Amino acid sequence: MKKVLFLIYFFSTLAFSQVDTLTVRSEIMDKNLKAAITLPEGYAESNTKYPVVYLLHGGFGAFSDWHQKVTELGLVPKLADQYQLIIVTPGVGPSSYYYDSPMMDSVQYESYIIRELIPFIDQNYRTLDQKESRAITGLSMGGHGAMMLAAKHPNLFTAVGTMSGVMNIDTRLWKVPEDFRNIRVGQQKAMLGADLNYDAPNFNPYTVMGLLDQLEQNGQDILIDCGVDDFLIETNRQLHQALLDREVPHEYTERPGAHTWQYWTEALPVHILFLNRHLSRE
């Protein structure tokens, strides 16, 4: 499968880190998508192979959010240096949830991440191309994407995190105004079909709550955190309780905070610390 790589520019957030901004061709969706790849200090001078963390953005975000919107600029390169990791921040379409839509050929982001982006990164960078050395996390919609991708592809990820994540796409659990709720329901039905059923006995298969069997069987290390004032807190509590009921080991944290970049800036070092603990360098 042919890929197209264009080196656009470097973020100059830290003197010792290199952040490549790439355009990656998706043959699956017939379009180009951007991604930022943060390389740790010493990458250019060594022959070392590195673990990789995929760090996903939110609903109306972009590949550059984790570099440009954090309240501590340079945080991603700092963490890449500290833990000697490659950190990949891919871009996807707005409100796409990292799905493969059965309705829209332009929304095939699960296949893009799994079948195109990850192989592209492993082919073009010195990665440890194995499950034991690959992890994923993200914020909001990206938290949903991280948990969904890890649950469905346990052969690719050893550990997964979510911060302020959409753990259930059923907006009746979201603490949002009615007009916002209606917009999201309309978007979901456009992507997933007008007969979308939020009351299915085993939960909607397109939501993290519908992937409990996989999360129970996979044996991955899981970190869930959400602010107590976040409009998605009830979906996180629902998943936490479901995992407790099934005796699925995981770490769960609630702390002061809302759906803000201040919260995610504070959460990211905790997530990288957690994920790094489970990444192999052998």
Side-chain angles (χ1 to χ4, degrees):
M1 186 174 294
K2 184 179 180 181
K3 302 291 188 301
V4 179
L5 163 67
F6 299 101
L7 184 57
I8 307 298
Y9 60 88
F10 301 137
F11 289 103
S12 58
T13 48
L14 281 183
F16 300 111
S17 294
Q18 174 179 308
V19 185
D20 296 352
T21 300
L22 310 179
T23 296
V24 182
R25 177 69 180 171
S26 171
E27 301 294 349
I28 293 169
M29 293 184 285
D30 190 25
K31 60 184 174 183
N32 295 329
L33 295 161
K34 287 189 175 180
I37 294 81
T38 304
L39 305 173
E41 179 182 2
Y43 178 90
E45 294 78 28
S46 76
N47 294 316
T48 302
K49 292 186 176 182
Y50 297 88
V52 184
V53 170
Y54 286 82
L55 179 58
L56 308 184
H57 68 71
F60 283 92
F63 77 101
S64 57
D65 282 2
W66 280 107
H67 292 272
Q68 296 179 345
K69 293 186 177 180
V70 286
T71 59
E72 180 185 340
L73 292 180
L75 179 60
V76 172
K78 175 183 175 181
L79 293 169
D81 285 350
Q82 180 179 352
Y83 293 102
Q84 289 292 287
L85 300 166
I86 295 173
I87 300 178
V88 179
T89 55
V92 300
S95 302
S96 60
Y97 291 91
Y98 299 83
Y99 290 141
D100 276 356
S101 166
M103 313 298 294
M104 303 169 70
D105 291 342
S106 62
V107 179
Q108 301 294 310
Y109 291 107
E110 177 184 348
S111 289
Y112 165 66
I113 298 288
I114 299 302
R115 293 166 49 193
E116 295 185 311
L117 181 64
I118 290 177
F120 177 87
I121 297 299
D122 289 335
Q123 290 163 14
N124 288 278
Y125 291 90
R126 293 197 314 275
T127 68
L128 288 162
D129 180 9
Q130 57 186 6
K131 165 190 173 174
E132 294 80 7
S133 302
R134 189 183 296 112
I136 189 168
T137 189
L139 69 87
S140 193
M141 179 186 86
H144 174 277
M147 292 291 290
M148 177 192 70
L149 293 170
K152 294 178 71 174
H153 302 278
N155 59 312
L156 291 178
F157 303 102
T158 191
V160 57
T162 170
M163 48 191 106
S164 308
V166 186
M167 299 296 94
N168 193 334
I169 65 170
D170 184 351
T171 60
R172 293 173 297 184
L173 293 172
W174 302 10
K175 299 176 181 179
V176 294
E178 198 62 25
D179 56 346
F180 181 91
R181 190 187 321 278
N182 292 335
I183 289 171
R184 280 293 191 268
V185 171
Q187 292 169 333
Q188 291 175 13
K189 289 188 174 182
M191 285 190 298
L192 304 177
D195 58 349
L196 184 61
N197 180 8
Y198 296 105
D199 294 313
N202 297 316
F203 295 99
N204 185 315
Y206 287 95
T207 197
V208 175
M209 283 298 299
L211 300 172
L212 293 172
D213 288 346
Q214 291 92 321
L215 291 171
E216 182 176 5
Q217 295 164 9
N218 290 350
Q220 293 157 317
D221 297 290
I222 301 170
L223 172 62
I224 303 167
D225 82 75
C226 192
V228 294
D229 297 316
D230 197 294
F231 71 90
L232 293 168
I233 186 65
E234 293 304 328
T235 75
N236 285 263
R237 289 171 175 167
Q238 183 186 51
L239 178 62
H240 172 49
Q241 187 59 54
L243 294 177
L244 287 176
D245 291 345
R246 289 171 175 249
E247 298 183 347
V248 177
H250 64 288
E251 292 191 20
Y252 178 81
T253 300
E254 290 184 16
R255 57 185 174 83
H259 212 73
T260 66
W261 275 103
Q262 181 63 47
Y263 186 92
W264 303 321
T265 301
E266 294 171 357
L268 183 59
V270 177
H271 278 247
I272 299 299
L273 172 66
F274 173 86
L275 299 175
N276 180 71
R277 191 185 308 149
H278 302 290
L279 289 170
S280 172
R281 284 165 169 78
E282 298 179 355

